[in-house]
Amino acid sequence: MSARSARLRPHLALLLLLAAGVFLRVLLMVEYRPAVLSNPDSARFLHFAHFGDGLFEDHFGPSGYAAFLKVTRAVWDRFEATIALQHLFGIAAALLLYAALRRVGAPRWAALVPAAIGLLWGDLVYLEHSPLSESPFVLLVAAGLYAAVRGLDRDGRSLAWLAGAGALLATAALFRNVGIVLPPIAVVWAFAAVTGPWRPRLVAAGAVAGAAALVIGAYVALAAIDGGTTGMSDVSGWNLYGRAAPFADCEQFDPPEGTRFLCERRPASKRPGSLYYLWFDGSPARERYGHPPIGGEKLGEWGRAAILAQPFDYLSDVARQLPRFVDPSAYHRRYTGGGPFSIARRNPAAERLVGFDVQRDYDAAHPHVGAGVERVAEWQDTERLGGIVPGLLVVFAILGPLLARGPARRAALLFALAGGALVVLPAATLTLIARYAVPPTPIVAAAAGIGVWALADRLRARRA
């Protein structure tokens, strides 16, 4: 055996996974051109990137992804180049999570758990192939978590890596506003993970918090100079209303002045899901105010009052949505965006709208969907195994912080908290649709990889 072969042999499993992940993405690039254009949100991102009044005029979310589209088109206006870059982001995120587990001492086979999910999870690959914000978001989160692990690994404490973690996680929040929960988690984690007196704990937490605050502060300043939306969203009031409307009972609280028209007489069990109240005709708010963000302040007051008056109804509804991480078809209610992804499922109306924007703004291939797309759709369904795979990831992710030791335990706790927060927050603030349950999957898988390893170690020790 040559020296080169000897060096590659320990990495053979990772190289095989990497080759399979590359093959899957190349197949999509060839068979599905120029990209998946079936999500209406893609039109929104493209509009604010290339055609709107400015990057910061989007009321529904931060402008990170629109800025990414603007920059990539300036470098190369071939639309497929942007999609190929997003596929590279997915591969890089998987390798970062593999490296993070190796950094805390996990064996190669355990580190392959998040790598396999990141490289081969069909729903992730589907989102990479769409002009949507998930791909750069997942990369930034994976890079931020890797930096946090490097900041407090077995070699000691590094403030530079901790600051990098805060900056990267805050930048992720500029792509998807659900990411705003991650910097506070990293701050608390850094404070708790450092051993010893208060001063080094505060310094570690301060490095994360300071870097995150600089990134968010810079974004707010740029948005203010541009005269645009300075927050993560201008529709928080509408979201609060939509979150409370499916269960709100005005007999249990006094609606704020001027909001009684939002109250419904039909029982909660007969009401549609949260998305109906934001986007569909017949919603009391839509009939009165029209389109978000108009009326957001009043709607937010009403939603807040309902949630505070009915906390158990609110928490019960949030809890009933969480199984969607395991089974996207769970939580059966109209207007909740249910059902698993399938890359073969088409949306002609959205494709016409998004396709028009793509052809207007880019040099892009003529739309083509080949037979290989059906094979990818079959792979999406097969890999879930009816929810068994994500269910096992959750179980082992919980075991990681409980059974692991030392730096591995700290890393497992961070991954479990970050992945869990990215699942819970959408359910708590509006609704957990299938698309929102995808980005946390490789993060949860990283905690699960440590959990499998820790359990195997405990069983081996007991046997010995």
Side-chain angles (χ1 to χ4, degrees):
M1 181 183 295
S2 68
R4 184 178 181 183
S5 299
R7 288 195 301 270
L8 289 177
R9 187 174 180 180
H11 306 288
L12 182 60
L14 178 62
L15 292 173
L16 290 174
L17 281 176
L18 183 59
V22 170
F23 171 78
L24 187 59
R25 289 160 173 84
V26 170
L27 175 64
L28 271 182
M29 292 293 295
V30 172
E31 291 286 274
Y32 205 147
R33 299 191 299 269
V36 177
L37 305 177
S38 58
N39 194 298
D41 277 352
S42 298
R44 191 184 102 232
F45 291 128
L46 291 163
H47 173 81
F48 288 105
H50 308 310
F51 194 70
D53 297 327
L55 281 175
F56 301 100
E57 296 301 318
D58 188 354
H59 297 294
F60 299 97
S63 302
Y65 187 64
F68 165 77
L69 291 175
K70 184 179 283 291
V71 170
T72 53
R73 192 186 72 160
V75 175
W76 192 4
D77 71 347
R78 187 75 186 177
F79 187 61
E80 290 89 333
T82 297
I83 298 302
L85 183 59
Q86 292 191 170
H87 282 307
L88 291 175
F89 285 171
I91 292 171
L95 295 178
L96 279 168
L97 293 174
Y98 175 88
L101 264 65
R102 293 289 291 149
R103 189 76 193 179
V104 297
R108 287 187 176 87
W109 63 264
L112 289 174
V113 173
I117 292 295
L119 291 169
L120 301 180
W121 195 251
D123 292 343
L124 281 167
V125 178
Y126 165 82
L127 292 175
E128 292 169 19
H129 205 62
S130 309
L132 294 169
S133 57
E134 276 78 6
S135 178
F137 174 77
V138 171
L139 174 62
L140 287 164
V141 173
L145 296 177
Y146 172 80
V149 168
R150 284 292 303 266
L152 292 178
D153 67 4
R154 53 192 172 184
D155 293 337
R157 177 166 54 95
S158 169
L159 296 182
W161 280 107
L162 291 173
L168 288 163
L169 295 175
T171 304
L174 304 183
F175 282 76
R176 295 194 59 77
N177 50 19
V178 69
I180 199 64
V181 71
L182 297 177
I185 286 175
V187 169
V188 174
W189 172 83
F191 179 84
V194 173
T195 57
W198 289 91
R199 182 180 175 83
R201 292 178 175 223
L202 291 172
V203 169
V208 179
L214 282 175
V215 170
I216 299 298
Y219 177 84
V220 170
L222 288 172
I225 292 170
D226 190 68
T229 301
T230 56
M232 294 291 106
S233 168
D234 270 354
V235 296
S236 57
W238 277 79
N239 288 343
L240 270 174
Y241 160 67
R243 189 67 199 81
F247 64 82
D249 179 1
C250 290
E251 297 297 322
Q252 299 191 41
F253 68 99
D254 293 325
E257 184 179 354
T259 64
R260 186 165 286 279
F261 71 94
L262 298 171
C263 300
E264 295 187 67
R265 292 184 178 180
R266 58 180 164 175
S269 60
K270 302 294 184 182
R271 296 182 198 175
S274 296
L275 298 180
Y276 167 81
Y277 294 94
L278 271 72
W279 302 117
F280 292 90
D281 294 336
S283 158
R286 296 280 292 190
E287 291 185 349
R288 174 66 62 92
Y289 296 120
H291 196 274
I294 302 169
E297 184 175 352
K298 281 289 186 183
L299 294 172
E301 291 176 5
W302 184 88
R304 194 176 300 109
I307 290 172
L308 291 175
Q310 300 174 250
F312 294 110
D313 292 327
Y314 165 68
L315 293 174
S316 173
D317 198 63
V318 171
R320 286 190 291 119
Q321 291 192 33
L322 298 183
R324 279 192 161 181
F325 178 76
V326 174
D327 177 10
S329 61
Y331 187 70
H332 301 289
R333 197 172 210 167
R334 290 179 303 138
Y335 301 106
T336 56
F341 276 138
S342 174
I343 198 167
R345 190 178 299 130
R346 308 289 297 277
N347 183 343
E351 288 175 7
R352 285 193 296 271
L353 177 65
V354 180
F356 174 81
D357 289 340
V358 169
Q359 298 296 332
R360 180 195 64 202
D361 298 326
Y362 290 88
D363 177 14
H366 185 74
H368 166 78
V369 181
V373 175
E374 290 290 344
R375 306 289 81 77
V376 178
E378 291 170 2
W379 169 246
Q380 279 184 279
D381 290 336
T382 301
E383 65 178 358
R384 295 189 193 101
L385 292 178
I388 293 175
V389 173
L392 288 174
L393 293 180
V394 171
V395 171
F396 286 114
I398 293 171
L399 291 178
L402 297 176
L403 300 182
R405 299 180 179 89
R409 186 177 194 176
R410 293 198 296 265
L413 180 62
L414 177 63
F415 291 132
L417 289 174
L422 292 178
V423 173
V424 172
L425 190 59
T429 54
L430 186 60
T431 188
L432 181 63
I433 65 175
R435 176 181 156 200
Y436 300 163
V438 175
T441 304
I443 312 304
V444 174
I450 296 176
V452 174
W453 166 40
L455 179 61
D457 268 2
R458 292 294 181 96
L459 293 176
R460 192 181 302 115
R462 178 172 295 181
R463 235 180 269 121

